Amino acid sequence: MKIIYLHHSGFIVELERMTLIFDAITNIPPHFLRKGRKNYFFVTHSHQDHFSQKILSYGSDYDTTYIFSDDIPEKGGRDIHYIAPYQKISFPGIEIETFGSTDLGVSFFVQAEGKNIFHSGDLNWWDWDTASHPNINPEVEERDFKAVIQKIEEQIGKHKMDVAFVPVDSRLGGSACRAAEYFIDKLHPKVLIPMHFWEDFSVIRTLADRETGSGTEIPLFEDRNVVIGNY
């Protein structure tokens, strides 16, 4: 399983027989998509830092299926499937289950070719500074995030996550890593890959240093369109 970082929350997961693309908003270099295999595009929600209509253009050149959160306005087309939180959908060789978010849309749990992959979308512990976000209730944000994590733990706890993509949003300051730390503590993914960090790659190192000895690998990377690793 090869993991490629595109930008922000966008990743490619290349398996033996299919490719999974999550929240791609930038042009995908041609060598990262291969013809002659199935390509699944996942979009967690409609925010412009997670969804770009340009991904629909890949459907003309590749064997492509799209799985969109149902908050995205319908685009039509037989290869686009809309899904709400806490639903399931399957295709040959792949099982997809959605969970909630603490913003718009869904988070995805995908099982394919013996691998278990989780993409959080905007499921995050949004612990904003109330001075800059006076309408935020920190207690509610904590409660809502932990409630979704509990549902994930109850539903798929028996399935060890091979890779989880989780936000570490630098705009949250000292709380940037809080969601990822809690995620690791409760769900113990083999590999956790930070995302949603707005070009501040330093926060990846911060999380990795804090989680030394946790049993979860946190790979370090410092650029777009790079192969993070093979798992």
Side-chain angles (χ1 to χ4, degrees):
M1 176 174 60
K2 181 189 293 184
I3 307 293
I4 299 160
Y5 173 62
L6 296 173
H7 171 55
H8 195 53
S9 296
F11 293 88
I12 294 174
V13 179
E14 184 179 290
L15 302 173
E16 289 296 322
R17 298 182 298 278
M18 67 180 73
T19 300
L20 318 177
I21 306 98
F22 294 92
D23 284 3
I25 59 171
T26 53
N27 289 325
I28 301 174
H31 60 281
F32 285 149
L33 287 179
R34 290 190 284 151
K35 296 182 179 180
R37 57 164 44 220
K38 189 69 179 179
N39 297 279
Y40 291 93
F41 278 84
F42 296 83
V43 181
T44 59
H45 62 289
S46 58
H47 286 165
Q48 64 181 3
D49 62 325
H50 292 260
F51 172 59
S52 170
Q53 294 199 51
K54 69 177 62 176
I55 65 173
L56 296 171
S57 66
Y58 296 103
S60 60
D61 294 323
Y62 300 91
D63 184 1
T64 300
T65 294
Y66 299 91
I67 301 97
F68 286 177
S69 168
D70 68 351
D71 69 289
I72 297 172
E74 291 200 12
K75 307 297 179 183
R78 64 181 180 87
D79 293 324
I80 303 177
H81 305 266
Y82 294 87
I83 192 165
Y86 305 105
Q87 292 185 343
K88 296 181 180 181
I89 188 172
S90 62
F91 303 93
I94 183 170
E95 302 283 338
I96 301 159
E97 183 171 2
T98 58
F99 289 90
S101 175
T102 44
D103 203 325
L104 283 180
V106 303
S107 47
F108 285 109
F109 178 62
V110 181
Q111 296 177 277
E113 298 186 24
K115 299 295 186 180
N116 299 325
I117 301 147
F118 188 86
H119 191 287
S120 297
D122 264 357
L123 171 61
N124 195 12
W125 186 336
W126 296 108
D127 188 22
W128 294 103
D129 182 345
T130 54
S132 59
H133 291 74
N135 296 324
I136 292 292
N137 184 327
E139 293 181 356
V140 172
E141 295 299 326
E142 177 179 356
R143 180 200 67 198
D144 290 350
F145 174 73
K146 289 183 176 180
V148 178
I149 296 299
Q150 182 177 348
K151 290 179 181 178
I152 296 169
E153 187 176 15
E154 292 170 350
Q155 190 69 23
I156 65 174
K158 64 180 180 294
H159 300 294
K160 182 73 173 180
M161 289 184 189
D162 292 290
V163 175
F165 302 97
V166 180
V168 287
D169 195 317
S170 300
R171 298 174 302 170
L172 296 173
S175 297
C177 297
R178 182 163 287 178
E181 291 170 332
Y182 190 82
F183 195 101
I184 290 170
D185 182 59
K186 291 296 182 180
L187 298 170
H188 312 291
K190 294 177 183 177
V191 179
L192 186 141
I193 298 179
M195 66 178 191
H196 209 281
F197 45 79
W198 301 96
E199 302 291 342
D200 182 7
F201 289 88
S202 67
V203 74
I204 302 174
R205 170 66 72 177
T206 298
L207 178 63
D209 289 345
R210 290 183 182 180
E211 291 299 321
T212 299
S214 67
T216 293
E217 178 184 347
I218 300 169
L220 303 176
F221 52 102
E222 297 181 331
D223 201 359
R224 301 185 190 186
N225 298 324
V226 294
V227 176
I228 294 174
N230 289 280
Y231 302 99

